[in-house]
Amino acid sequence: LLYTIKFEDMAGAIREAACDLIGYINRSPSPYHAVAEAVKVLKSCGYKRLEERDQWDLVPGGQYYLTRNASTLIAFALGDEFVAGNGCQIIGAHTDSPCLRVKQRSKHSSVGYNLVKSECYGGGIWATWFDRDLKLAGKVIVRGENGMLTSRLAHIDRPILHIPTLAIHLDRTVNEAFKFNKEEQLIPVLGLVDNELGAADDKKLSAAEKQQQEFPKHHNSKLMNLLADHLGCKPDNIAGFDLCLADCMPGSLAGLDSEFIMAPRQDNLVNAWAGVSALSKHTTAGSSSAAVLCLYDHEEVGSQSAHGAGTELTNLVVSRICNDDPAKLTSCVAKSFLLSADQVHAVHPNYVSKHEANFQPMMNGGVTMKHNSNQRYATTAMGAALVRELARSNEIPLQEVMVRNDSPCGSTIGPIISAKTAIRTVDLGCPQLSMHSIREMSGANDPYHAVALYKAFYEQFAAMEAKAMDENCDDEIFI
């Protein structure tokens, strides 16, 4: 821990931030919901929607957002004194988390049970998905009576799926090594086989009607009826979906003194929420730079998609902020900075040897800056010094972490965006335990301090950096 402050006077605000985060997580069982919830906050603050296909008429003091695939969001606020070519302070996070997703042909049954075939998304700790009450949430494509396709959010917020373990009486080795086949044994149970609605419908259908039923017929008819009732449409009008399984148990404060947050998807909804909160509190008055928030999908599977961090979307948006002027874009990039905000491994009390002895981030110790010389993280010496100074001058707690030489090191969107845009970057995030489990554990104080740091970054970083000498000069660099 580098900097500490007393928390007594902020106890109410800290708890309020933790509860607000928990509410956001509970309302965001899929990346689509995470973006929709973020949009609600931004619209309440006066942010206006932009369409990528349209011409943009941006003005100083303007607040804007756009979405792609409904699972990626970019929002930005131009300072009242902003001119094209000025820098951007960017916070990047991601909306997705490891989960099971319903396969595009999910219908399956076995010895009297209806099951839903699902695909493993990302690197989840799949053993934690057994014996949990599971619900469904995501995006559904609905065909209207006029043939128009629309995207709808669905959230079946009750336990309808379950993956049961095998009793110990049938596998005495289960406590030595819990092994299972992800294709054959990680299949959620939906219910018991009976006379499925529509299963024996032999009426003659036209070619168009058969085509309309092509997607629904590959899924359990009761599941499709449930979705249709939820959306207020006919089952045959469901033309596609991307549905995530999620834990039914809501997030909550926990611990003897309520010092922990127990909730799913904290990697990385903690930082998505903190970024939205910081941007919503940001004021454009007196600012000459742009405050930008990028929430990308598909980080957990490598970010290489049209709406992942590996896309050209960041470049395209920054270019349009610069009026698509190449010279002004070059100047803007040189003045810009990115905080890549993703969760960090807190030191584990039962596995202390897994952590580097000099770097043991504690929950409730503050946001943690990540370092890796092999560029698994994009933090540089100068970038780290600037973030340390930002935290110090605002009395915000800050920690740092490096992994052991004999331990693998994860990565995130920081190196991807930095390499794609040439924007200087620091990787950081809040410490947590049980990362990629169906239920994760973090500190209840850290969300408050994350918002404070990100808000200070938006409002103070450009002026603070301007006080430093040029990084390429021969003289000593100072703050």
Side-chain angles (χ1 to χ4, degrees):
L1 182 65
L2 297 181
Y3 312 117
T4 60
I5 59 176
K6 294 182 179 180
F7 297 135
E8 289 87 346
D9 296 337
M10 293 182 288
I14 288 173
R15 185 180 181 89
E16 182 180 354
C19 291
D20 192 56
L21 166 62
I22 291 169
Y24 176 74
I25 292 173
N26 290 342
R27 295 189 299 273
S28 303
S30 77
Y32 307 105
H33 290 83
V35 167
E37 289 296 319
V39 167
K40 288 179 185 177
V41 174
L42 295 174
K43 288 179 71 174
S44 71
C45 297
Y47 279 73
K48 299 178 181 179
R49 183 179 182 89
L50 298 173
E51 298 294 342
E52 289 185 74
R53 303 180 183 198
D54 298 340
Q55 294 294 320
W56 293 358
D57 184 18
L58 307 179
V59 297
Q63 299 173 312
Y64 310 95
Y65 76 92
L66 63 119
T67 65
R68 183 179 280 191
N69 190 52
S71 60
T72 285
L73 165 78
I74 294 184
F76 57 93
L78 302 181
D80 289 351
E81 301 174 13
F82 178 83
V83 294
N86 287 4
C88 298
Q89 279 71 59
I90 307 171
I91 293 173
H94 64 90
T95 60
D96 61 322
S97 303
C99 67
L100 296 175
R101 297 198 175 193
V102 178
K103 289 188 174 182
Q104 294 301 298
R105 294 188 177 187
S106 69
K107 192 173 183 178
H108 184 61
S109 62
S110 176
V111 294
Y113 294 92
N114 281 323
L115 301 102
V116 176
K117 301 202 76 173
S118 303
E119 182 178 27
C120 297
Y121 174 86
I125 305 177
W126 303 119
T128 64
W129 286 72
F130 283 82
D131 294 334
R132 305 292 302 190
D133 295 334
L134 303 172
K135 60 183 179 179
L136 280 178
K139 178 170 71 172
V140 180
I141 309 302
V142 177
R143 182 190 303 104
E145 297 300 327
N146 59 358
M148 182 178 292
L149 298 177
T150 58
S151 176
R152 303 276 299 279
L153 286 180
H155 183 185
I156 310 299
D157 194 12
R158 66 181 179 88
I160 60 171
L161 296 162
H162 194 89
I163 308 173
T165 50
L166 184 65
I168 193 171
H169 313 80
L170 303 178
D171 181 8
R172 294 292 182 182
T173 68
V174 66
N175 286 325
E176 299 169 16
F178 181 36
K179 296 181 179 179
F180 56 92
N181 184 291
K182 289 184 288 186
E183 177 64 23
E184 298 178 358
Q185 290 149 352
L186 192 67
I187 309 177
V189 173
L190 178 65
L192 295 172
V193 172
D194 57 10
N195 295 322
E196 278 200 63
L197 297 177
D201 192 350
D202 293 327
K203 72 174 184 178
K204 292 184 178 181
L205 301 174
S206 67
E209 289 173 327
K210 288 180 180 179
Q211 184 63 34
Q212 185 165 302
Q213 292 186 357
E214 183 62 25
F215 183 81
K217 78 177 185 181
H218 294 296
H219 305 277
N220 181 275
S221 62
K222 286 189 174 180
L223 177 61
M224 298 304 288
N225 283 330
L226 178 64
L227 277 174
D229 288 344
H230 178 72
L231 296 169
C233 69
K234 298 177 182 178
D236 289 350
N237 287 342
I238 295 177
F241 58 55
D242 182 13
L243 293 176
C244 304
L245 278 67
D247 187 7
C248 270
M249 188 174 181
S252 64
L253 293 173
L256 190 62
D257 296 314
S258 297
E259 64 262 59
F260 302 124
I261 294 174
M262 309 295 193
R265 301 178 298 281
Q266 295 192 61
D267 175 19
N268 187 35
L269 293 186
V270 169
N271 292 290
W273 168 85
V276 172
S277 298
L279 189 62
S280 69
K281 299 174 189 297
H282 169 65
T283 176
T284 61
S287 173
S288 60
S289 59
V292 183
L293 175 66
C294 300
L295 302 182
Y296 280 112
D297 196 1
H298 290 165
E299 188 274 346
E300 297 293 356
V301 292
S303 297
Q304 299 303 309
S305 72
H307 36 281
T311 183
E312 291 288 341
L313 187 56
T314 308
N315 277 330
L316 293 172
V317 171
V318 173
S319 178
R320 296 184 79 168
I321 289 175
C322 295
N323 296 331
D324 288 325
D325 184 317
K328 291 178 180 177
L329 174 60
T330 300
S331 178
C332 172
V333 167
K335 299 172 186 174
S336 297
F337 204 92
L338 165 70
L339 293 185
S340 167
D342 202 354
Q343 291 295 82
V344 176
H345 298 294
V347 62
H348 198 302
N350 299 334
Y351 299 89
V352 178
S353 63
K354 292 291 185 180
H355 303 269
E356 216 277 9
N358 289 339
F359 296 92
Q360 298 188 346
M362 293 291 297
M363 289 187 288
N364 291 329
V367 173
T368 303
M369 191 159 50
K370 311 175 190 178
H371 303 269
N372 185 264
S373 300
N374 297 299
Q375 297 304 296
R376 299 294 288 169
Y377 302 126
T379 307
T380 63
M382 185 60 172
L386 290 168
V387 172
R388 290 188 194 109
E389 184 65 13
L390 181 68
R392 184 196 64 78
S393 62
N394 287 278
E395 296 187 297
I396 298 170
L398 181 70
Q399 305 181 91
E400 305 198 22
V401 69
M402 295 184 78
V403 300
R404 292 167 56 99
N405 284 322
D406 57 0
S407 173
C409 181
S411 190
T412 183
I413 64 174
I416 296 171
I417 297 178
S418 182
K420 199 84 175 176
T421 63
I423 292 175
R424 296 164 299 159
T425 300
V426 161
D427 278 290
L428 42 65
C430 296
Q432 71 166 74
L433 294 174
S434 303
M435 190 177 291
H436 288 197
S437 170
I438 195 172
R439 197 163 180 85
E440 299 170 327
M441 179 180 184
S442 69
N445 293 352
D446 292 327
Y448 174 88
H449 296 293
V451 174
L453 182 64
Y454 301 164
K455 183 174 183 290
F457 171 72
Y458 279 144
E459 296 180 349
Q460 303 172 24
F461 189 84
M464 186 196 74
E465 185 195 24
K467 295 179 182 179
M469 293 182 64
D470 183 80
E471 188 172 1
N472 297 315
C473 72
D474 294 329
D475 298 326
E476 181 181 0
I477 297 169
F478 63 93
I479 300 297

